[in-house]
Amino acid sequence: MGIQVKQIVLRQIQMPLVHFFETSFSRTYARDMVLVEAIAEDGLSGWGEVTAGENPFYNEEWFESAWLILKHYVAPRVLHHEFGSPSDVYARTAHIRGHFMARGGFEAAVWDLEARRQNIPLWKLIGGGSRREIPCGVSIGIQDTIDELLGKIEKELNDGYQRIKVKIKPGWDVEAIRAIRKRFPKILLMGDANSAYTLKDIDLLKQLDEFDLMMIEQPLAHDEIYDHAELQSQLKTPICLDECIRDAHQAEQAIRIGAAKIINIKLGRVGGFAGAKAVHDVAMKHNIPVWCGGMLEAGIGRAHNIALATLPNFTLPGDISASKRYWKRDIIDPWVETTSNGTIAIRDDVGFGYPIDHDFLKSVTVREETLS
Ligand code: OSB
Ligand code: MG
């Protein structure tokens, strides 16, 4: 029997971050997130989280556009449609250009729903389970001072995290990385520029080669694969693509022309689990390692990322870390926690594996709409 969704409930939640998060494109103090609940004929629910930000600065999406795309374009195509499998959802909304995060929020909800129908963990349904613990790193935003940055890194290392990623931008790059390397000569370290540079900055980017970074993430424009190949040919440090990779074909092209030695896979950015698995498979075929990126998710999105990171080629520590790094209280209970080795242990509960804290969820919901 196929899967039919009879109702979609959209919820917008608002939660302040424990600490602001600054990238090359903006500083965020509080998050607005859209949750997608997909309800089946029998009353069973699956949940997804839209990973779009508060502004269309990381990519073209933001939570308001995602809400409208889900309401006006995704819901009418998917409600009461019979899906043979959750892998069919991606194609059903492929008439929509872009808007992968909005589409992916629903797609992930259907995977969760199907896992619950089969009474198995989500990681099993997607074909994961290659590891019982996933290796974790942290992404540390731009701080007001280098001293604050060093203090933050020290704290995360003490908590056991396996690798440190710092956000960089022009004016907060070579000197910041130099200071980190001086203080922490041996740690696994990388920088993420979120498209803050162009090929004109090649001499500056080459200066980063002396610091033995694991990789530099998305230094050039969000839609510019070719320039990254040009840059990589002159850089020792491996380039990892984030923003540029929206589907498996782009991943294949980027790998083929030498634009990426590593790929960051974000569930939302590639439209959900089917897209993520396709990018994962292409990378694996070419011996390109991948890791799971984050978008400051609340508990549901975080739990989906954990499931994703159990696929075999997620061999590098991802940006998946404990709930308490982001939130005073999470919308799931228990929260996501890390071990002292900087890993997250996989749970065997059904679906995405963490019970929702419905009371708290209600208290942070600022908008709700049922589509049927
Ligand atoms: O580029 O990886 C990114 C957060 C918002 C937008 C883009 C990015 C990020 C992060 C945060 O690096 C990762 C996390 O969830 O901790
Ligand atoms: Mg990134």
Side-chain angles (χ1 to χ4, degrees):
M1 202 184 66
I3 311 158
Q4 274 196 43
V5 174
K6 69 160 186 202
Q7 261 182 358
I8 297 172
V9 184
L10 299 181
R11 289 179 182 81
Q12 180 191 341
I13 61 172
Q14 256 170 16
M15 288 173 25
L17 287 165
V18 169
H19 186 271
F20 69 76
F21 189 79
E22 184 173 327
T23 62
S24 61
F25 55 80
S26 72
R27 182 181 276 200
T28 306
Y29 290 89
R31 296 244 31 230
D32 276 283
M33 293 163 278
V34 175
L35 302 180
V36 184
E37 181 182 3
I39 306 173
E41 287 301 332
D42 57 8
L44 216 54
S45 281
W47 291 75
E49 187 175 316
V50 175
T51 62
E54 288 62 51
N55 297 290
F57 298 161
Y58 164 79
N59 64 9
E60 75 285 357
E61 297 187 78
W62 85 107
F63 73 95
E64 295 279 12
S65 69
W67 187 284
L68 294 172
I69 287 287
L70 280 158
K71 176 175 171 173
H72 295 295
Y73 293 98
V74 174
R77 282 279 285 196
V78 301
L79 279 168
H80 308 291
H81 179 78
E82 177 134 347
F83 290 106
S85 139
S87 13
D88 301 337
V89 177
Y90 185 96
R92 185 77 189 160
T93 63
H95 63 301
I96 302 166
R97 295 266 191 259
H99 297 283
F100 288 101
M101 292 170 163
R103 292 158 53 193
F106 174 76
E107 201 253 17
V110 176
W111 282 94
D112 181 47
L113 174 62
E114 179 60 12
R116 288 171 199 276
R117 275 166 35 115
Q118 294 187 21
N119 203 28
I120 57 172
L122 178 59
W123 58 258
K124 204 169 245 174
L125 184 67
I126 66 168
S130 294
R131 52 194 70 82
R132 289 299 304 178
E133 291 180 26
I134 59 162
C136 302
V138 289
S139 174
I140 301 182
I142 294 161
Q143 307 296 316
D144 290 329
T145 66
I146 301 268
D147 269 355
E148 280 169 283
L149 177 65
L150 296 175
K152 281 224 132 73
I153 293 172
E154 178 155 45
K155 180 178 178 308
E156 305 296 2
L157 293 170
N158 287 338
D159 284 348
Y161 286 105
Q162 298 184 7
R163 76 99 169 94
I164 300 291
K165 156 171 147 183
V166 293
K167 292 295 189 177
I168 56 171
K169 67 172 181 183
W172 183 271
D173 42 38
V174 178
E175 288 324 305
I177 299 283
R178 189 187 307 283
I180 299 168
R181 261 300 175 235
K182 199 165 153 219
R183 175 91 167 265
F184 307 103
K186 293 254 154 69
I187 60 168
L188 296 181
L189 180 64
M190 59 175 288
D192 183 2
N194 288 111
S195 304
Y197 300 92
T198 72
L199 278 180
K200 292 199 182 98
D201 300 307
I202 201 151
D203 289 334
L204 185 147
L205 293 167
K206 275 188 190 167
Q207 290 180 52
L208 294 173
D209 273 345
E210 74 174 275
F211 300 112
D212 193 29
L213 301 180
M214 286 178 92
M215 68 193 91
I216 176 170
E217 185 179 346
Q218 195 69 38
L220 308 180
H222 70 102
D223 55 355
E224 188 49 85
I225 293 175
Y226 189 84
D227 279 0
H228 280 99
E230 177 68 38
L231 177 64
Q232 183 69 86
S233 73
Q234 301 192 46
L235 221 56
K236 239 174 42 201
T237 308
I239 291 177
C240 168
L241 290 181
D242 174 353
E243 283 90 326
C244 273
I245 306 300
R246 291 164 173 249
D247 63 29
H249 180 62
Q250 288 173 337
E252 175 113 51
Q253 286 180 320
I255 293 166
R256 208 184 326 128
I257 67 170
K261 292 187 175 162
I262 299 168
I263 293 175
N264 164 343
I265 299 183
K266 288 183 179 163
L267 193 56
R269 195 195 67 225
V270 297
F273 283 102
K277 277 155 51 90
V279 174
H280 165 275
D281 293 352
V282 159
M284 191 153 86
K285 193 179 83 192
H286 289 92
N287 289 314
I288 294 288
V290 303
W291 52 277
C292 182
M295 291 295 289
L296 312 174
E297 287 89 348
I300 295 173
R302 197 165 296 281
H304 280 95
N305 288 345
I306 294 167
L308 181 64
T310 70
L311 291 173
N313 196 33
F314 282 83
T315 51
L316 299 172
D319 282 346
I320 312 179
S321 51
S323 300
K324 68 170 187 205
R325 291 191 61 248
Y326 307 81
W327 319 114
K328 261 206 207 110
R329 184 170 169 184
D330 204 342
I331 58 172
I332 52 170
D333 186 13
W335 305 349
V336 173
E337 282 177 2
T338 49
T339 67
S340 54
N341 303 322
T343 64
I344 293 171
I346 303 311
R347 289 165 59 88
D348 292 325
D349 295 41
V350 70
F352 66 75
Y354 292 78
I356 294 173
D357 181 344
H358 286 281
D359 290 337
F360 182 62
L361 175 59
K362 235 176 234 140
S363 74
V364 292
T365 300
V366 296
R367 177 165 50 152
E368 185 172 323
E369 187 170 346
T370 300
L371 311 165
S372 42

